[in-house]
Amino acid sequence: MSNNLEIKESLTKIGLHSLIHSIWCWSLQDQNLLKTSLSTLCTLTANNKLGINAMSQPSISASTSNANSFNASSNSLSSQSSSSSLNLLSTIIKSLQKSFINQQLKSSFIIQKYAFSILTNCAQSNECKNLIWKSNLIQDFTQIDFQLIKLNSIKFNFKLEKLWLYFLVSLSFSQDGQQFFIKVDTNLLAIVIKFLDPMLFCQQNDFQQQQIFLIQYLALLILRNLSFNQANKSKLVSNSDYVNTIIEYLNRNKSEKFHLLSLSALDSLLYDFQKSKVILKNFNCLKYLVELHEHYQLEQNRTQTQNKILQTINNLIKILNE
């Protein structure tokens, strides 16, 4: 099935997702079956629009079986509407939310790992995204305890945080997803920005440095993607934390990957939006751009990426000086 769209579509048409839905209650009791079911759905929904759309479609027989068995085996998280409980995606989201409460269970990370992959695949569909919004799943992300992370950063493996950010990155590539960050849940943007706070990860070992780099890259990628939405620009440039974070990652001590994302965000904010030019000047953006330009000019044998960075810096300086 992997990398074969024809087989994926055929399995979707004969109802593989409905079969998995009908045995969901047993999957929750058997880790091997749970892992197999979720990994199968990951493959089925990867680059398969038909499979993705099927995840949000009602399956009455499956949902009836699931509802009875699921309630018998565990406490329900909250009452859901009958329409949301009739599809496999909502069933997976409810199981994912339950896993946040029971982190000590061995099955919790299995559910989290594969469920987020499925959600990331399904983020391509508007119907699936609507189910995600209505499920209040995003509120679980806004409950992250940063004080706990800061106090115990040397012990953290950041597995769940990475899963969250990969999922949110997938949402941030769509227009409606970009607007959700700004209009629907104001805490969401603040939480993403918090991951880029240099004081958050004050203690780290060599392995964690790589994990933290990835977390910060994903968070900055989300901020960059949000700048592509014309309707978001006014609120973004008016958010001092957002602008300060973007500019902070122009620091010459940061990686080229961070420089590219920050420069791309600034370029997008300035495009066809005159107000951003005045605001960015007030944040002393030109100073950081000039310093970064000098840093890359000193490179003797510049790479293609470094030349691209220099070209973008020159364009931004020109725009801000107009």
Side-chain angles (χ1 to χ4, degrees):
M1 180 167 62
S2 181
N3 298 321
N4 192 317
L5 181 58
E6 184 178 353
I7 291 178
K8 290 180 185 181
E9 290 180 340
S10 296
L11 289 171
T12 302
K13 290 175 181 177
I14 64 175
L16 176 59
H17 58 288
S18 295
L19 173 63
I20 293 175
H21 198 179
S22 67
I23 63 170
W24 188 255
C25 55
W26 289 286
S27 298
L28 292 173
Q29 307 303 319
D30 186 319
Q31 289 186 40
N32 290 328
L33 181 57
L34 177 63
K35 184 175 180 179
T36 301
S37 298
L38 287 169
S39 62
T40 300
L41 289 172
C42 284
T43 306
L44 183 68
T45 55
N47 301 314
N48 176 16
K49 290 184 178 179
L50 191 65
I52 291 171
N53 290 332
M55 295 292 291
S56 63
Q57 299 304 311
S59 176
I60 297 176
S61 60
S63 64
T64 303
S65 171
N66 270 341
N68 295 333
S69 303
F70 185 81
N71 289 332
S73 61
S74 61
N75 294 325
S76 62
L77 291 170
S78 59
S79 59
Q80 301 287 336
S81 66
S82 58
S83 60
S84 68
S85 63
L86 296 179
N87 61 78
L88 181 53
L89 184 62
S90 293
T91 300
I92 292 173
I93 291 174
K94 286 196 288 184
S95 297
L96 177 59
Q97 290 175 306
K98 181 175 173 58
S99 77
F100 299 146
I101 300 172
N102 298 317
Q103 289 281 4
Q104 70 278 10
L105 296 179
K106 292 181 179 180
S107 60
S108 290
F109 185 69
I110 295 176
I111 293 174
Q112 291 165 8
K113 177 182 177 181
Y114 289 104
F116 272 117
S117 294
I118 294 168
L119 290 173
T120 299
N121 292 340
C122 290
Q124 302 173 39
S125 160
N126 288 331
E127 288 186 12
C128 290
K129 277 185 287 193
N130 286 334
L131 289 174
I132 293 170
W133 304 149
K134 293 176 182 178
S135 70
N136 293 324
L137 173 65
I138 303 299
Q139 288 186 2
D140 290 298
F141 177 72
T142 62
Q143 304 300 317
I144 289 178
D145 189 344
F146 283 100
Q147 189 62 29
L148 183 64
I149 293 177
K150 189 172 183 179
L151 291 174
N152 300 283
S153 60
I154 196 66
K155 301 176 182 178
F156 261 70
N157 56 26
F158 307 109
K159 288 182 179 179
L160 182 55
E161 288 75 17
K162 284 187 293 183
L163 293 174
W164 267 116
L165 289 170
Y166 272 119
F167 167 57
L168 293 175
V169 165
S170 68
L171 291 178
S172 71
F173 277 108
S174 65
Q175 289 283 323
D176 53 346
Q178 291 161 1
Q179 290 185 335
F180 180 86
F181 278 83
I182 304 298
K183 293 184 177 181
V184 179
D185 195 330
T186 55
N187 291 326
L188 187 54
L189 178 60
I191 296 296
V192 174
I193 291 173
K194 186 68 176 175
F195 274 109
L196 291 160
D197 182 354
M199 300 304 296
L200 177 61
F201 309 107
C202 53
Q203 301 181 60
Q204 52 190 272
N205 54 40
D206 291 341
F207 172 75
Q208 285 180 316
Q209 286 181 357
Q210 299 176 11
Q211 306 305 307
I212 292 167
F213 179 93
L214 177 57
I215 285 174
Q216 293 177 330
Y217 178 81
L218 293 172
L220 191 61
L221 178 58
I222 292 170
L223 298 191
R224 191 284 302 266
N225 290 349
L226 298 184
S227 70
F228 293 152
N229 192 305
Q230 189 69 24
N232 283 348
K233 291 184 180 181
S234 179
K235 290 188 177 181
L236 289 177
V237 296
S238 300
N239 186 320
S240 59
D241 289 334
Y242 177 88
V243 177
N244 276 325
T245 300
I246 294 295
I247 294 176
E248 181 182 329
Y249 276 78
L250 292 175
N251 189 297
R252 65 179 65 190
N253 295 325
K254 299 294 184 181
S255 162
E256 290 178 7
K257 291 184 177 182
F258 289 134
H259 293 159
L260 280 170
L261 288 178
S262 287
L263 291 169
S264 177
L266 292 174
D267 193 32
S268 178
L269 290 172
L270 286 166
Y271 179 76
D272 198 25
F273 190 63
Q274 187 68 24
K275 180 182 176 182
S276 62
K277 185 188 298 186
V278 177
I279 294 175
L280 290 175
K281 282 183 177 180
N282 291 337
F283 277 90
N284 216 6
C285 184
L286 265 173
K287 173 189 172 184
Y288 287 90
L289 289 171
V290 170
E291 289 178 352
L292 192 60
H293 185 273
E294 293 173 351
H295 169 69
Y296 281 106
Q297 283 281 37
L298 294 175
E299 294 289 339
Q300 295 297 321
N301 299 309
R302 287 193 291 270
T303 64
Q304 185 176 357
T305 299
Q306 290 170 338
N307 284 326
K308 180 180 179 180
I309 290 174
L310 269 174
Q311 182 181 358
T312 306
I313 294 173
N314 286 329
N315 291 338
L316 290 172
I317 291 175
K318 182 180 178 180
I319 293 171
L320 289 171
N321 279 327
E322 288 177 348

